[in-house]
Amino acid sequence: MPPAAVRARALSVAPPAYVYDLPGLRAHAASIRAAVPTELFYAAKANPDARILATLAPYVDGFEVSSGGELAHVREVLPESRLAFGGPGKTDAELAAAFADPAPVHRIHVESPLELRRLAALGRAADVLLRVNLPVAAAGASLRMSGPFGMDAEALGACVDLLARTPWLRLRGMHAHLASGLEAGPLLEVAAQVLGWTRSWTDGLDGLDGPAEINLGGGMAVDYRHPERRFDWAAYGAGLAALRRPGERLRVEPGRAVTAYCGWYVTDVLDLKRTHGAWYAVLRGGTHHLRTPVAKGHDQPFTVLPVGDGPATGEPVTLVGQLCTPKDVLARNVPVERIAVGDVVAFAMAGAYAWNISHHDFLMHPKPSVHYVDECREPAKMSDHPHS
Ligand SMILES: Cc1ncc(COP(=O)(O)O)c(C=O)c1O
């Protein structure tokens, strides 16, 4: 069930819309900040909405960006923020942008020996982390970042050779983002493996500028099937504190588990039909606005706000969108007390990898507007805007 302020906004906006609960985000970010004893960066790819970034800024040490577009965007929204610039396939122009005003990025995460050579060719002083690709055990991960991401020991060795000849590039340490969707225990096991490997690899390494810095990435689980279960930040933080060695600078860069809970996708029921015995509610919008359930293979949790006076059912229903594809399903065969044409449906957990990963222009339906519940800064309607 959405908080009262979100519910009120959901009932007052014209659907489809995204409603972001900024006080909820603040409270959540503060609790993460309090629990995590390392540096904390937010992975902007999860949701780069400007007001979300600004809301998070007081609680994080910086932002991780993974493209020239994200780099320019976060710089514009928060020019003073520290940025870590990662991501595969950085172009020369993107690497050069890392040195643009108002300040060079804090860290560049290097993905390959060739990328390091191209960075070196710019002749600019930079602080780099080498991204490692380790075959660690990550039981239960929803996604494993193997394949092209980062480097194995051989490629890392090539980087070290190059760094010996390019003193304007300062090697600060290592970056690892190896899996997504892990609970605190398994994520700590991955961290222990990364730290063990990294320590032995960097031990006595010539050219490491200062004590090793290790970025452990993101990947904290979000359980869409059990919205009330949250990642155990306290256990994770305590585990990191126990793993850290004196002088070591650790950093994490979560995305999904930071912002997933603050976003609501709000729409209404246009049609209700029974086909071959199954009930379908056709919603205004669909997966071109909220691709998360298709991308992750779950039913997006939702609440029906019963304001409609059209035909209704109390039987299990599949919530579909307006796209001409059977894949346009937000939730499948879910029991409901009642759902009627005209009801408002508020989908929870739509604050991360939601609007920004959706195929907005397919079928050219209108885009959702964006609204911010923000008791600190009401009236938020001033800055409400359509998604562009
Ligand atoms: C390099 C890197 N860091 C951090 C993240 C954030 O991961 P998550 O949103 O699962 O916490 C990602 C996600 O793909 C990533 O690729």
Side-chain angles (χ1 to χ4, degrees), residues 42-46 64 66 86-88 109 111 131 142-143 145 149 175-177 179-181 215-221 233 253-258 352-353:
Y42 168 64
K45 61 175 75 64
E64 186 264 350
S66 279
H109 299 162
E111 288 272 345
R131 182 169 179 183
S142 62
L143 209 61
M145 305 297 282
F149 302 103
H175 171 249
H177 171 78
S180 296
N215 183 326
L216 294 163
M220 294 71 183
W233 289 100
E253 51 182 26
R256 187 184 301 273
V258 178
Y353 305 103

